[in-house]
Amino acid sequence: VLTCGCQTIGLSYPILLPPATGLCNSPQFKLNFTSQKEIAREISAFANSHGGIIIFGVEDKTGRVAGLSYDEIQNTSRELGNAANEQVKPSLYVTTDVEDVEGRMVLICRVPEGRSKPYKDIGGTIWIKQGADKRRVTENSEILGLFQSSGTYQADLAGVPGTSVRDLDKTAVESYFSKIYGQVPDDFETPAENMLQSLNITDSSGRLTVAGLLYFGRHPPAPYARFRHKSCQVRRHRPR
């Protein structure tokens, strides 16, 4: 039995892994190292998901532990490092351990969940784990989701095409500033447009952000209007 985080996978021999690995995707079994490009796809898929492990020296379909020689372990470790650094963009740091299973040596590669999603292979393809396998990501919504999960993209701060400060409800903006700062925008020495941008009400191009439009827009476009009521409720109950 192979114990990996929150899963238990059947093998011909027991391999014990630390229970607090935090890697809960299905382990990927490899009899041996194939190619940097192929392994880079596995690494990027794990990094775009929740992390995971790749075990070398184990047959994928049967779970039979065949083991690796000393030279194979050295070569696999070296190739893994090169694949993670040169074939995955942005590059990723992976760790390896060697386990002795009934006299047979296997190499365990641990791939952490990435902090800079989405990760791509050298050809620019984005992969994610799907059960024990992986799949390409092509939908824009999924790609944006990966950006957002890593904190590098926030959908509510995106600029809304066709909007500007002319679409702001001036009364709502002045009321907000009065409650939070005790002054209206015109009372500050800083130009109003700079203050609006610093508060993420507008973006660097002067467009209203999604959040700015929902909170302070006079007439949100139809796709955003249905969200306005809930947004305003959040604003009214915001802690002071």
Side-chain angles (χ1 to χ4, degrees):
V1 174
L2 164 63
T3 302
C4 173
C6 63
Q7 297 189 17
T8 300
I9 309 294
L11 283 179
S12 301
Y13 299 95
I15 299 178
L16 301 179
L17 299 179
T21 57
L23 307 176
C24 297
N25 278 311
S26 298
Q28 188 71 44
F29 299 134
K30 297 287 184 181
L31 186 59
N32 47 47
F33 192 92
T34 50
S35 70
Q36 288 188 15
K37 288 185 177 181
E38 180 181 336
I39 298 303
R41 294 169 185 168
E42 303 291 349
I43 292 174
S44 62
F46 276 127
N48 284 328
S49 303
H50 299 290
I53 63 173
I54 307 173
I55 303 177
F56 294 89
V58 179
E59 289 185 350
D60 185 21
K61 294 183 179 180
T62 65
R64 184 183 69 86
V65 179
L68 299 174
S69 68
Y70 174 82
D71 288 340
E72 288 174 327
I73 290 174
Q74 296 301 308
N75 180 68
T76 300
S77 295
R78 181 176 61 256
E79 292 295 316
L80 278 169
N82 291 337
N85 286 316
E86 300 173 6
Q87 300 289 327
V88 178
K89 302 299 178 185
S91 59
L92 195 69
Y93 179 74
V94 298
T95 60
T96 58
D97 292 300
V98 178
E99 285 280 345
D100 184 336
V101 183
E102 298 288 333
R104 296 177 173 86
M105 309 303 289
V106 299
L107 183 71
I108 302 170
C109 172
R110 290 180 172 82
V111 182
E113 178 174 1
R115 296 182 179 181
S116 301
K117 301 176 185 177
Y119 290 84
K120 305 175 183 179
D121 63 23
I122 196 66
T125 303
I126 300 172
W127 302 86
I128 61 172
K129 293 294 294 182
Q130 184 169 328
D133 207 347
K134 62 184 181 299
R135 65 175 176 84
R136 289 181 175 88
V137 176
T138 57
E139 294 293 330
N140 289 339
S141 58
E142 281 192 285
I143 295 173
L144 285 176
L146 289 171
F147 275 111
Q148 194 158 7
S149 69
S150 67
T152 56
Y153 174 82
Q154 294 173 292
D156 55 337
L157 302 185
V160 179
T163 62
S164 70
V165 292
R166 293 190 297 272
D167 298 301
L168 286 174
D169 183 333
K170 187 175 180 180
T171 301
V173 173
E174 289 182 346
S175 175
Y176 173 82
F177 271 79
S178 295
K179 289 179 180 179
I180 302 299
Y181 303 108
Q183 302 179 75
V184 297
D186 291 339
D187 293 336
F188 291 87
E189 295 181 2
T190 304
E193 57 268 24
N194 292 355
M195 297 193 65
L196 293 175
Q197 184 178 339
S198 68
L199 292 172
N200 296 317
I201 296 174
T202 61
D203 66 6
S204 59
S205 299
R207 301 176 299 179
L208 300 190
T209 62
V210 173
L213 183 64
L214 291 175
Y215 275 78
F216 304 110
R218 289 185 299 168
H219 304 292
Y224 302 94
R226 59 180 175 152
F227 298 107
R228 190 176 187 186
H229 177 67
K230 182 177 291 186
S231 172
C232 292
Q233 283 186 324
V234 172
R235 183 167 58 135
R236 286 199 296 269
H237 291 87
R238 180 179 176 177
R240 297 180 181 178

